[in-house]
Amino acid sequence: MRNKIVAGNWKMNKLADEAVALASELVNIAKDEVKGDVKVILCPPAIYLTTLQKYIETSPNFALAAQNCSDKASGAFTGEISAAMLQSIGIKYVLVGHSERRQYFAESNELLAAKVNIALENGISPIFCCGESLDQRQNEDYIGFVKNQISESLFHLSAEQLQKVVIAYEPIWAIGTGLTASAEQAQEMHAALRAHLAGKYGSEVADEISILYGGSVTAASADELFASPDIDGGLVGGASLKSREFINIIKAR
């Protein structure tokens, strides 16, 4: 049975008191309204991870993720945060390969493979992000492009290692552009990625991997998206900054 996951990526948003208020609201509302076994992962700015732990540790459904980690173990890398540092404060998940990291910081598939490795070495599950731009959607084999991201960053892993990875498909062309991906378009890619995993590791392993959808998920779109057979939850951006909206998305899962 694949894990049902809704992750909220806060990106570079919220001041300290706002972050505490949002995390506290989400946990308290979820206790009353969210039923079932959905895992909720909050991805705040790294500076708030330790502070927020005491607010989410009362709920077994909640966990924290870092938004990034270094591919290096330690050393003279000013401003970086290592996977070992995250492990030392009890963090269980880390985003790897988010489209903004790929675009603004030129993170390559090779670099992301190294980040996946070091996260796993430290007992942290990578939430591996992949997806295509509008140009790639229109002009290239967009499914082949995303499959290549998976191949180059994940296919060196053993089956046991891969089962600790969560994949998040984010169609970059549907984020902040006014365009939206339909449930059919999202399901098409999720099914293709699961088949790609099965081709390498077998269907039994592929069927255990949670694949999230991350293209401007809202409460209005969540029901239809999450009803798709290969969509196991969402990686939510802007909507995760609003407690009521995010709770409604969680309830859809």
Side-chain angles (χ1 to χ4, degrees):
M1 181 68 69
R2 297 193 294 270
N3 291 326
K4 300 175 182 178
I5 298 170
V6 177
N9 179 14
W10 295 6
K11 306 188 181 184
M12 196 173 70
N13 292 294
K14 298 296 182 185
L15 301 181
D17 58 343
E18 296 170 332
V20 167
L22 179 56
S24 181
E25 285 176 12
L26 289 170
V27 170
N28 288 332
I29 297 172
K31 286 178 181 177
D32 294 330
E33 297 188 20
V34 176
K35 311 302 179 186
D37 57 355
V38 60
K39 173 69 74 175
V40 181
I41 302 174
L42 304 182
C43 314
I47 194 171
Y48 303 141
L49 287 169
T50 302
T51 301
L52 296 187
Q53 280 178 315
K54 63 183 177 182
Y55 293 93
I56 65 97
E57 65 186 7
T58 59
S59 174
N61 284 27
F62 278 73
L64 290 174
Q67 295 180 12
N68 183 39
C69 72
S70 175
D71 62 309
K72 305 295 193 299
S74 63
F77 302 102
T78 300
E80 290 290 277
I81 297 172
S82 73
M85 292 174 182
L86 297 175
Q87 189 277 334
S88 74
I89 62 169
I91 300 304
K92 303 298 185 186
Y93 297 90
V94 62
L95 296 181
V96 174
H98 190 277
S99 60
E100 291 159 3
R101 298 292 310 179
R102 293 176 185 267
Q103 179 180 355
Y104 302 138
F105 300 95
E107 294 193 350
S108 66
N109 292 338
E110 180 181 15
L111 174 70
L112 299 177
K115 289 190 176 190
V116 166
N117 289 347
I118 204 160
L120 290 171
E121 287 168 11
N122 284 278
I124 299 173
S125 292
I127 302 175
F128 179 79
C129 303
C130 54
E132 80 281 11
S133 69
L134 182 59
D135 285 346
Q136 290 155 348
R137 183 83 185 186
Q138 293 176 335
N139 301 323
E140 297 182 22
D141 173 13
Y142 58 91
I143 291 179
F145 177 84
V146 182
K147 286 165 64 175
N148 187 62
Q149 290 179 320
I150 298 277
S151 297
E152 292 191 359
S153 296
L154 298 182
F155 274 13
H156 64 286
L157 299 175
S158 68
E160 182 181 7
Q161 289 173 314
L162 185 74
Q163 288 174 302
K164 298 174 183 175
V165 176
V166 176
I167 294 174
Y169 165 62
E170 33 171 21
I172 303 166
W173 52 272
I175 301 174
T177 62
L179 301 173
T180 58
S182 67
E184 290 77 15
Q185 288 173 314
Q187 167 59 23
E188 175 194 38
M189 182 64 80
H190 280 239
L193 295 183
R194 200 174 302 283
H196 188 48
L197 295 172
K200 172 71 173 180
Y201 294 96
S203 58
E204 185 174 344
V205 171
D207 287 342
E208 291 295 314
I209 305 299
S210 295
I211 307 179
L212 314 182
Y213 174 75
S216 297
V217 180
T218 66
S221 64
D223 279 326
E224 185 178 11
L225 285 166
F226 295 168
S228 302
D230 286 291
I231 299 178
D232 303 309
L235 176 60
V236 184
S240 70
L241 299 172
K242 304 169 185 175
S243 57
R244 182 72 264 165
E245 178 87 358
F246 192 47
I247 287 290
N248 287 342
I249 293 171
I250 296 167
K251 289 164 70 174
R253 180 59 282 181

